[in-house]
Amino acid sequence: MCRGKIEYGWEPVVNYIAAAAVIGAGAAACLLRGFFFAEEMYAFLVVWFVLCAVIIVLKFVVAHRKGNKGVSGNVLAGDSVLQRKGSIRRTQGARVVLLGGSVLILALYAIHLLRGSISAQGTMNELLRWGLYASFAVVVYTCAGNRQVGRLLIAAWHGVGMTLCLTALLAVCGVLPLPFAIAYSNASGVSVTGARLGGLLEYPNTFGAVMAVFLLERLFSIAGVSAKPSTRSALLRQLPLFPYAAALLLSESRGAWLAAACAAAAVLPWKRRLLAPLLTAGAAPVAAAALLYRQLAHAGLAVEPLPGLLALAGLWAGALLAGLWLCRRQRCAAAGWTRAAGLALAAVGWTAAGTAVLLHVHARIIGPSSTVSARGLFYRDAWKLAAEAPWLGRGGETWASAYLAIQSHPYVGSQVHNGYLDILLNLGIVGLTATALILLAAGWLLAMAAPQLLPPFLVLTLHSAVDFDWSYGLVWLLLLWLPALAVAEMGQTAIAAPPLKPVNQSAFTYSYQINRPTAPRRFSYPSQVVAAAVCCACLSLSLLSVHAYRGIDLYRQAGQVTTFTERTVLLQKSLDWNPYAPGTIVALSRMLPTGQATSLLQSSLKYAPEDAALSWELAERLMREDNLGVALYWIRRSLQLDVYNYVKRVRVVEGLLAMGQGRLAAGRVGEAQNSAAAGMELLRQYRLLVEQENIRGGRHNDRHFRVTEEADSLDWRLRGLLIAAGDSEGKAKPLSLAH
């Protein structure tokens, strides 16, 4: 009896550990810039994967001792079975597809890492990312079906949203020092005010999309409440609306605004009864947010702390009180004129807010957009690159590794600004299909369990088609978190509903058979294999994270030491831990003699065969050696991998000039002429590229590709070298004949 109680008591402990892991992941994503930079994730991933392995082991042990056949059976435990049986069955298949798609993508990146890819470092980063996403899905669905823990998941969701929102607004008010929370730009096509809010994510477009997610989740949650809530409940529900709306407007992200509007419009025809509650719930917060936006925009998002805080607090309180009053009027079914007046006031609030915002940014909305046309260039070049490996792609970070070689204009864009294209480049049609299955399964689960969560889900799926949201690990966590919220809210609804009475003896018998104690029995062999495989995968990913973390940590230490020997030793240790890092390879090669550096660079190219930095470093090394043919091969190779880099082109010609002068001084006249002729040819190609770009208008010449004064000077010096070499050859011939 006592043993049974102890064994049963382990299950909530495991669930709470899983919930704590989810909360930790959300907090880490906020603090680590949304998990955008992979090197900032390594230390967290070391702990995360070990914790996931522990949770999975404990979960299977608890299920084994209780006599369950699998982890998914926990969803039914302790709930109103007869009430939820149909919903559970409809959503279980979607959860299996969602998790299976994540595991498939993880496996594809593992295959690329083993068989070779365009960037081993990028593939390793994506492997670790998708290991996080797949394990997060397992952990979050492990505890989503539990009643008490489900509340923690819902609270953690709101905690992440408010953390991102309030830190950004406090940074605008000058209270919280976040150096990169505000993105400044002098280009009118990028920002009307010259300043846009990016918050902890440090990128306004993705920040705006995330704020739209949390705003729509709150709006549709309020609109979907059928019963009249208490004043306290209504206050808590509407409390986040104003800051979310203000942060969304201050991001000045046209894509996020449009995605939010389209997502809401897509659901409203399905749920027409939500239109009036949405209007009344959002009118006051959005109008107040528009007023704050106009005030801060005129100041360039630079205000004194005290006036800024007073304006923020005053508008927040006013929006909250007005919103509560409008919602109360809308729910007043006894007086039709009262509801009509409330709806009219809500419509006025929305109209005023839209007018205030659109009048301020209309030039950026209706005028030509350089960012939109730049995305068109990205997409055309990306399609050409995707055609080279259509089925399985070329591994992680394909665009970042190859765009300098395939770009049709000298633009700057290490991100392709389209999540679907990015997946297509990395994993081909197979990976894109797996991603589509994940999204469809998540959408289906939301539609079945919690339709009010579809709009925030649609925001992420729509906006990621025009920006690089999926490069942020936080966005994928939110995508996987939303279906788990649906399961958790379904459990909370079951609690609130009165228990169903069995209508006949068969129903009673079924309920008893589901909930009755069962004798412990062994897991089936496949279940044991799955548990062992998942734990081994988590521990392997944790070990890989350790190697990546130690490599980047030693690399940073090497940048802080001052002595040559210490730096070389630290860089060598860093490379031993992580041999894939191109930055470490380049830094170490500069500390080694020419022969050793050349050997290191050539051997490292197998991990990044199209890395522009490695090829350029090798070309520079070979120019110092006495082998023009090999040097020219790598010179041309490095220029092919970075076509519109005028600095490299000038330095190459300078190197060939120095090589020719040295050979002429040594009496090797023919080789000096060959060096000068090669330099002249590279200069000619350089000029042709510049002329071609000028003919096309140079609209996206973000890299300022041009013919420099140094290039003109080098042209004359190469001609002088050819003349000097010709004179030397002419003088040498009579001497040889006389002899």
Side-chain angles (χ1 to χ4, degrees), residues 677-720:
M680 294 288 291
E681 175 60 21
L682 290 175
L683 271 179
R684 186 186 70 83
Q685 296 174 4
Y686 174 25
R687 292 180 185 275
L688 286 176
L689 273 175
V690 174
E691 290 177 6
Q692 183 181 9
E693 183 59 30
N694 291 335
I695 291 172
R696 291 186 293 187
R699 290 181 55 196
H700 298 284
N701 191 0
D702 304 327
R703 304 178 68 183
H704 307 290
F705 188 64
R706 65 190 187 279
V707 177
T708 63
E709 295 180 359
E710 292 87 347
D712 292 330
S713 173
L714 287 170
D715 191 8
W716 288 105
R717 294 170 67 185
L718 286 170
R719 294 178 186 274

Side-chain angles (χ1 to χ4, degrees), residues 131-149:
L132 168 64
Y133 306 153
S135 57
F136 182 84
V138 172
V139 172
V140 78
Y141 292 117
T142 292
C143 53
N146 183 275
R147 293 175 177 178
Q148 290 75 20
V149 181

Side-chain angles (χ1 to χ4, degrees), residues 159-492:
V160 169
M162 291 303 291
T163 299
L164 294 172
C165 179
L166 292 181
T167 52
L169 293 177
L170 291 177
V172 172
C173 296
V175 177
L176 192 64
L178 295 177
F180 304 104
I182 301 175
Y184 298 96
S185 175
N186 295 324
S188 58
V190 176
S191 173
V192 174
T193 62
R196 298 172 58 187
L197 187 59
L200 290 172
L201 303 185
E202 300 181 2
Y203 182 58
N205 289 349
T206 300
F207 177 75
V210 171
M211 290 297 99
V213 167
F214 286 101
L215 175 62
L216 289 184
E217 186 274 332
R218 282 291 83 205
L219 278 176
F220 277 83
S221 175
I222 294 170
V225 176
S226 57
K228 186 177 180 179
S230 64
T231 302
R232 182 174 178 273
S233 176
L235 180 68
L236 291 176
R237 287 177 181 272
Q238 297 192 30
L239 189 63
L241 289 180
F242 167 74
Y244 287 154
L248 173 60
L249 292 180
L250 290 171
S251 71
E252 203 182 302
S253 173
R254 298 168 299 176
W257 298 352
L258 183 60
C262 292
V267 177
L268 282 178
W270 184 25
K271 298 286 185 180
R272 296 178 183 176
R273 63 177 182 82
L274 298 181
L275 180 58
L278 280 174
L279 286 175
T280 53
V286 172
L291 180 58
L292 180 67
Y293 169 70
R294 289 297 298 263
Q295 291 178 350
L296 296 180
H298 286 301
L301 303 190
V303 295
E304 294 295 328
L306 183 58
L309 284 177
L310 290 176
L312 180 64
L315 288 172
W316 194 350
L320 188 58
L321 293 176
L324 288 173
W325 183 83
L326 283 175
C327 287
R328 190 175 294 112
R329 298 283 75 76
Q330 192 273 331
R331 293 182 183 277
C332 185
W337 65 270
T338 305
R339 296 185 64 184
L343 286 174
L345 287 175
V348 170
W350 278 99
T351 304
T355 304
V357 173
L358 292 178
L359 285 177
H360 190 71
V361 299
H362 72 281
R364 186 164 178 251
I365 292 178
I366 64 176
S369 175
S370 59
T371 57
V372 173
S373 58
R375 280 174 170 80
L377 286 177
F378 296 168
Y379 300 161
R380 286 196 293 270
D381 292 343
W383 276 114
K384 296 176 183 177
L385 181 60
E388 297 178 6
W391 290 106
L392 291 176
R394 306 182 68 186
E397 300 182 9
T398 293
W399 175 259
S401 302
Y403 84 98
L404 293 175
I406 56 95
Q407 60 182 175
S408 55
H409 290 269
Y411 52 73
V412 176
S414 59
Q415 296 286 337
V416 74
H417 287 75
N418 187 306
Y420 301 93
L421 264 179
D422 198 30
I423 293 289
L424 181 64
L425 291 171
N426 290 354
L427 299 178
I429 296 174
V430 176
L432 187 60
T433 302
T435 305
L437 289 175
I438 292 173
L439 298 179
L440 289 174
W444 172 260
L445 197 154
L446 291 172
M448 292 293 101
Q452 74 274 11
L453 294 178
L454 271 177
F457 173 78
L458 291 176
V459 168
L460 293 177
T461 56
L462 291 174
H463 193 263
S464 57
V466 295
D467 224 314
F468 54 89
D469 298 346
W470 286 352
S471 295
Y472 283 86
L474 172 65
V475 173
W476 276 108
L477 297 189
L478 295 180
L479 272 171
L480 297 170
W481 206 328
L482 278 168
L485 281 182
V487 175
E489 290 185 359
M490 186 169 59
Q492 302 305 313

